[in-house]
């Protein structure tokens, strides 16, 4: 094995370890935080939750390793597009259905569901804003 | 050579190399150049894009 391959192999192993540690720390923070809240220690639980979040960010920002490669970014892009498409379908159909049902006096959507639909509208406005920023930032 | 060795050499994950081999992911130009450099060949020797007639039908 050449020097380049040895260095590459070490970097590869280190990246895999970092990614596993990040996922582990995040899941542990959420799980322990939930457990502590459920047994009556809400503030400690919240602190543990934030400790997990900050630890993940610290690992991600402090290492010079590329933890996520180009395929990860492509998968994230496709995931975001598919998710937005699902939300768009739910919003278009859901908003129309709630209006028609309300006008017909058949069913009035509960405030929680109406709020969720407005939340989707906000989501798309944010997506539009971010998309415009990427497109026109020069 | 294993996928892990190649992945380490070109600084991507083993899953990315696997996806490229199975034609489930088209690598970036940068990665394609790295792979070509690693195997000491041209990009065209590694990848065979289906260009659907691009460059074969000139009007001028």
């Amino acid at each position: 094995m050449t020097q380049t391959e040895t260095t590459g192999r070490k970097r590869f192993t280190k990246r895999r370890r970092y990614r596993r540690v990040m996922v582990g720390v995040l899941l542990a923070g959420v799980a322990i935080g939930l457990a502590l809240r459920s047994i009556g220690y809400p503030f400690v639980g919240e602190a543990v939750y934030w400790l997990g979040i900050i630890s993940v960010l610290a690992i991600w920002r402090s290492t010079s390793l590329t933890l996520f490669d180009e395929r990860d970014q492509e998968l994230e892009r496709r995931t975001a597009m598919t998710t937005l498409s699902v939300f768009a379908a739910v919003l278009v159909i859901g908003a129309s259905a709630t209006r028609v049902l309300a006008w017909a006096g058949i069913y009035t959507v509960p405030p929680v569901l109406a709020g969720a639909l407005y939340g989707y509208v906000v989501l798309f406005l944010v997506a539009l804003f971010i998309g415009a920023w990427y497109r026109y930032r020069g | 050579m294993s996928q892990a060795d190649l992945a380490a050499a070109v600084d991507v994950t083993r899953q990315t190399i696997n996806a490229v081999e199975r034609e489930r992911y088209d690598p970036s130009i940068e990665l394609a150049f790295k792979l070509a450099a690693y195997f000491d060949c041209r990009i065209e020797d590694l990848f065979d894009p289906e260009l659907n007639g691009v460059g074969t039908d000139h009007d001028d």
Side-chain angles (χ1 to χ4, degrees):
Chain A
M1 188 177 279
T2 65
Q3 180 69 32
T4 307
E5 283 177 337
T6 307
T7 308
R9 171 68 83 165
K10 281 181 183 171
R11 191 172 59 239
F12 179 75
T13 308
K14 200 173 177 183
R15 173 164 55 199
R16 188 168 54 190
R17 188 168 67 241
Y18 272 45
R19 287 174 63 149
R20 286 180 178 169
V21 167
M22 284 172 70
V23 172
V25 166
L26 184 64
L27 290 178
V30 171
I32 295 171
L34 275 173
L36 286 170
R37 276 195 295 255
S38 68
I39 60 172
Y41 296 98
F43 291 109
V44 180
E46 208 62 27
V48 171
Y49 168 79
W50 274 106
L51 188 63
I53 300 285
I54 291 168
S55 299
V56 167
L57 291 175
I59 294 169
W60 179 45
R61 299 305 298 175
S62 65
T63 179
S64 59
L65 286 172
T66 306
L67 294 177
F68 301 97
D69 71 3
E70 60 177 59
R71 181 169 160 271
D72 293 315
Q73 292 168 2
E74 173 66 13
L75 291 174
E76 284 177 16
R77 189 186 68 78
R78 289 187 199 175
T79 303
M81 282 303 299
T82 306
T83 305
L84 277 178
S85 299
V86 170
F87 280 144
V90 170
L91 179 60
V92 168
I93 296 169
S96 176
T98 54
R99 283 194 299 268
V100 170
L101 291 173
W103 290 334
I106 299 171
Y107 180 70
T108 303
V109 175
V112 172
L113 194 55
L117 290 175
Y118 279 113
Y120 286 1
V121 172
V122 172
L123 174 75
F124 279 101
L125 289 176
V126 172
L128 274 175
F129 177 78
I130 292 172
W133 185 77
Y134 277 123
R135 186 178 293 271
Y136 299 113
R137 66 178 168 172
Chain B
M1 163 183 276
S2 68
Q3 289 181 342
D5 291 333
L6 179 56
V10 295
D11 197 22
V12 294
T13 61
R14 188 193 60 76
Q15 287 82 358
T16 296
I17 296 298
N18 184 47
V20 171
E21 282 186 4
R22 295 171 62 193
E23 298 184 358
R24 297 189 64 173
Y25 172 66
D26 293 327
S28 66
I29 292 175
E30 183 186 355
L31 178 55
F33 271 111
K34 281 183 180 177
L35 291 168
Y38 185 82
F39 288 113
D40 194 21
C41 63
R42 298 180 307 163
I43 291 177
E44 297 94 308
D45 297 329
L46 294 176
F47 302 101
D48 184 22
E50 295 173 5
L51 299 177
N52 296 324
V54 174
T56 61
D57 186 14
H58 297 284
D59 292 332
D60 53 352

